[in-house]
Amino acid sequence: MAKFLIGVLTGVILAGLVAVIGVFALVRLSERPPAVPADATLVLNLDGEVPERAPVGIPLPFFEEREPLSVSDIWRVLRRAESDSRIRAVVLMPGRVRVGWGKLQQIHECLARFRKSGKPLVAFLRTPGTAEYYLATACDRIYMPPEDLLMLKGLRAELMYFRKTLDKLGVQVDIEHAGKYKDYGDMFTRTAMSPETREVLNSVLDELYGGLVKTVAAGRGKTPEEIRATIDEGPFLARQARDKGLIDGLLYEDQVFDEVKKRVAGGRINRFSGRRYLRAIASEFEGGRRVALVTAQGSILSGSGEELAGDGAILSQDFNRLLRQVGDDGSIRAVIVRIDSPGGSSFASDEIWREMNALSRRKPVVISMSDAAASGGYYIGMTGDPIVAYPGTFTGSIGVVFGKVNLRGLYDKLGITKDVLLRGRFAAIDSDYEPLSDAARQKLREGIDDNYRVFVERVAQARKRKFEEVEPLAQGRVWLGSQAKERGLVDELGGIDRAIELARNKARIGPEERVTLVVYPRKRTIFERLMSRTRESLVDSRLRALLEEMRAAAWLEGGMLRLMPYSISVR
């Protein structure tokens, strides 16, 4: 009886919540877009993640104003603000920005382009790390509170290994991989970096650090040698940062806006958030030649039904359905596929690859890489179409890995035993109670090597090169976009603007014709998500989101994986 009453009460609460959200949604639909004042100062509060795909929307004012802007949102806002006479200045106020180098370079590029408009572009930083300061260097003024800390101190790479812990637990992990650099799984089988991992990460750090130094030097009017020497003295108290020329002044927030007032005509400012400005200009992005921006974000998994969980995953059936929808839309002149994925399931990647090639035969396509388009994320982009990446994009990782856990030692410690009956020589190949036999390992090697061969062949065909030219660049090695460009794995370095230029050229859209980006999948509200019928419960979807953050969702699916071996966070 108690369970019944709890169920009824839960249903009533949920129905009430849906009703409230529905009412607010109807009110929101009937509202006019907010009016932009004639003396507006655009305030960009970037905090937390900056997704490629718009997150689930809650049509309540409190939540709407706090929704993160997507990468394409920031691009739209700053591009429009350049020529909008109502926008007198932009103030960048980043919080703890959690993005990779690709997105940092895209946002920095957007800010730098706005700066050329001649309007004031000011950054106000609170306890900034490397990411926040990197963005601020695109601004013409950088301020911090007097009592604060600039955490600019260089870059480091840390990898965690669990081999000794698993040994204590009696857990054994069998890993097979194709490609000497395909080191996903080393965390379970080793206690330190392999020579190959150390080689790659050192090359990555050298390239990223060189780019960081060059960007800071250009932004602050110093030489790279001066900046390298300065960073070696970090982190810095705010006063030290000012004395070193890393920032322009020590001001509190109200004083920063007083400074902006002095720099704009008329001496008046009206703060206007990026989210409100996006709503105000939404109708201005309609009309013209339509170019689809299809976002592929997260690990690649098999299946469908991602209504509640799919913001952090690319599910093969759902994504292929989306590609077909774009292909069937006669109003779409060209397609930019924006990939932000470390890879995932080998077979799901192949399904998506086929559908991507089918789309390429129907529409002009350009591949735009974000923070990562590696392993399976690189595989799905092998259509033969132009590939644009940022210098800091993680890409390549052309390889295959398979892993299996043997828990027998742990079961013994817990007093658990299993009786196993088999029919078939390799029936226990994925058993968690037996290690891989030599014959089973050889059987897996056949499949992994064949999967790897197909991967390299797909790349060679798409890049119009011989297998023998591509294979040395494969081996599971992760490349930065700048390194991949030098080796012919991507075509150009750039972001959304360059991808649009290429799409315009492929679709033969004239230079004077207006182009409108149409983002797929479209943003959905939580009301629509709750009303959708899916195979997953809310608990299951949240669990999948958590696993996705750990890069474990694809691992738990099992089978052969095309997955980048590690993730990079900028702090």
Side-chain angles (χ1 to χ4, degrees):
M1 184 64 179
K3 290 183 178 180
F4 174 76
L5 291 175
I6 291 173
V8 171
L9 181 61
T10 302
V12 170
I13 293 173
L14 183 59
L17 177 63
V18 170
V20 170
I21 293 175
V23 169
F24 272 95
L26 291 174
V27 171
R28 178 65 71 206
L29 287 173
S30 64
E31 284 183 355
R32 289 185 176 182
V36 182
D39 49 6
T41 291
L42 184 64
V43 181
L44 283 180
N45 289 292
L46 303 182
D47 197 2
E49 294 183 4
V50 181
E52 292 291 342
R53 178 176 178 175
V56 179
I58 302 178
L60 301 175
F62 176 82
F63 293 102
E64 278 191 331
E65 192 59 31
R66 285 159 179 77
E67 287 178 11
L69 293 171
S70 69
V71 176
S72 60
D73 288 339
I74 295 171
W75 177 83
R76 289 174 191 267
V77 163
L78 288 172
R79 284 298 302 272
R80 180 65 184 94
E82 291 174 25
S83 57
D84 191 339
S85 61
R86 300 167 298 180
I87 301 297
R88 303 292 182 84
V90 170
V91 176
L92 173 70
M93 298 175 64
R96 291 293 179 208
V97 182
R98 298 198 302 274
V99 297
W101 281 103
K103 290 174 186 171
L104 281 177
Q105 289 167 344
Q106 173 65 66
I107 299 170
H108 188 280
E109 179 183 302
C110 290
L111 291 167
R113 175 171 174 142
F114 176 86
R115 182 174 176 176
K116 293 177 181 178
S117 70
K119 300 178 183 180
L121 176 59
V122 174
F124 179 57
L125 307 178
R126 292 186 175 95
T127 320
T130 301
E132 294 78 29
Y133 184 72
Y134 179 91
L135 295 179
T137 59
C139 302
D140 55 65
R141 296 286 190 278
I142 304 176
Y143 298 109
M144 288 177 62
E147 300 299 322
D148 209 334
L149 184 68
L150 172 58
M151 293 295 289
L152 181 66
K153 51 185 172 39
L155 304 177
R156 73 175 184 268
E158 293 182 351
L159 294 184
M160 189 176 291
Y161 294 88
F162 303 100
R163 171 64 185 271
K164 292 182 179 179
T165 301
L166 296 178
D167 286 346
K168 291 178 180 180
L169 294 174
V171 175
Q172 174 193 348
V173 180
D174 287 312
I175 300 290
E176 288 293 323
H177 56 86
K180 64 180 181 179
Y181 296 102
K182 198 67 176 179
D183 46 4
Y184 187 89
D186 279 9
M187 68 185 80
F188 305 121
T189 61
R190 297 181 60 89
T191 58
M193 294 183 193
S194 67
E196 292 81 9
T197 299
R198 192 173 298 275
E199 175 192 348
V200 171
L201 287 181
N202 272 318
S203 74
V204 165
L205 280 176
D206 287 342
E207 193 83 11
L208 291 180
Y209 189 60
L212 171 66
V213 168
K214 182 178 178 181
T215 300
V216 174
R220 302 308 299 166
K222 297 180 179 292
T223 66
E225 292 74 22
E226 288 175 316
I227 292 301
R228 283 182 185 272
T230 299
I231 291 177
D232 282 342
E233 298 179 34
F236 306 91
L237 296 172
R239 290 180 178 83
Q240 294 172 328
R242 179 199 57 191
D243 295 341
K244 293 289 185 182
L246 295 173
I247 64 174
D248 296 288
L250 305 176
L251 300 176
Y252 293 102
E253 181 177 333
D254 60 301
Q255 295 173 313
V256 171
F257 282 94
D258 287 341
E259 286 295 311
V260 175
K261 282 182 184 179
K262 296 175 185 178
R263 296 181 59 190
V264 299
R268 297 193 314 273
I269 60 172
N270 276 301
R271 301 191 195 189
F272 208 71
S273 74
R275 173 59 60 186
R276 291 187 67 205
Y277 186 60
L278 186 67
R279 287 183 55 216
I281 62 176
S283 62
E284 298 181 22
F285 289 96
E286 298 174 359
R289 301 296 187 179
R290 289 160 59 89
V291 173
L293 181 68
V294 179
T295 56
Q297 175 180 282
S299 291
I300 299 171
L301 308 174
S302 297
S304 64
E306 95 298 2
E307 297 295 340
L308 289 168
D311 289 339
I314 306 168
L315 299 187
S316 57
Q317 292 179 31
D318 292 308
F319 192 71
N320 285 348
R321 191 179 304 116
L322 181 67
L323 294 176
R324 288 191 289 271
Q325 176 189 342
V326 172
D328 290 339
D329 189 337
S331 70
I332 298 296
R333 292 288 300 274
V335 183
I336 299 170
V337 181
R338 177 87 173 167
I339 302 174
D340 187 14
S341 172
S345 164
S346 171
F347 306 119
S349 299
D350 192 66
E351 284 188 71
I352 294 174
W353 168 83
R354 186 179 186 281
E355 199 62 47
M356 287 276 288
N357 278 268
L359 175 65
S360 179
R361 290 191 290 270
R362 303 179 66 185
K363 306 270 187 183
V365 170
V366 173
I367 308 298
S368 173
M369 295 179 170
S370 182
D371 283 341
S375 205
Y378 184 73
Y379 185 97
I380 65 175
M382 293 298 100
T383 62
D385 295 300
I387 300 176
V388 184
Y390 301 100
T393 296
F394 287 87
T395 189
S397 193
I398 303 166
V400 182
V401 64
F402 175 92
K404 184 184 85 71
V405 177
N406 174 17
L407 300 176
R408 185 161 190 162
L410 177 61
Y411 290 157
D412 288 343
K413 293 177 185 293
L414 298 175
I416 299 172
T417 59
K418 281 188 178 183
D419 275 340
V420 182
L421 302 177
L422 302 176
R423 298 294 186 275
R425 184 182 177 194
F426 297 115
I429 199 169
D430 56 353
S431 170
D432 69 353
Y433 202 59
E434 298 290 343
L436 285 174
S437 65
D438 291 341
R441 193 177 296 276
Q442 180 59 36
K443 179 69 175 177
L444 282 175
R445 288 294 332 170
E446 292 173 7
I448 292 170
D449 290 343
D450 183 73
N451 203 294
Y452 175 67
R453 176 187 56 77
V454 170
F455 197 163
V456 177
E457 286 176 349
R458 298 273 198 256
V459 175
Q461 181 181 9
R463 304 304 299 162
K464 298 177 175 59
R465 301 173 71 176
K466 296 179 180 179
F467 183 96
E468 295 75 20
E469 295 175 329
V470 172
E471 206 278 331
L473 304 175
Q475 293 290 326
R477 177 161 182 161
V478 174
W479 302 101
L480 289 174
S482 54
Q483 299 168 330
K485 169 68 167 61
E486 293 173 356
R487 291 159 177 82
L489 296 177
V490 305
D491 295 293
E492 298 199 27
L493 298 180
I496 294 175
D497 284 301
R498 183 55 183 152
I500 291 174
E501 290 177 13
L502 293 173
R504 181 191 286 272
N505 292 338
K506 289 197 71 177
R508 299 180 181 177
I509 300 173
E512 303 302 322
E513 294 185 83
R514 181 179 172 184
V515 168
T516 297
L517 275 190
V518 185
V519 180
Y520 291 86
R522 70 178 181 86
K523 181 177 179 178
R524 298 171 69 91
T525 67
I526 194 171
F527 179 76
E528 291 174 300
R529 295 281 175 101
L530 288 172
M531 296 301 292
S532 298
R533 293 185 177 181
T534 71
R535 66 179 184 181
E536 297 176 303
S537 70
L538 187 59
V539 174
D540 291 337
S541 69
R542 292 304 94 207
L543 177 60
R544 171 176 277 185
L546 175 62
L547 292 173
E548 184 57 35
E549 287 188 17
M550 300 167 60
R551 299 285 171 92
W555 182 263
L556 292 182
E557 277 207 348
M560 300 175 193
L561 300 178
R562 296 179 176 133
L563 190 65
M564 196 171 82
Y566 33 71
S567 61
I568 303 293
S569 61
V570 185
R571 297 181 181 175

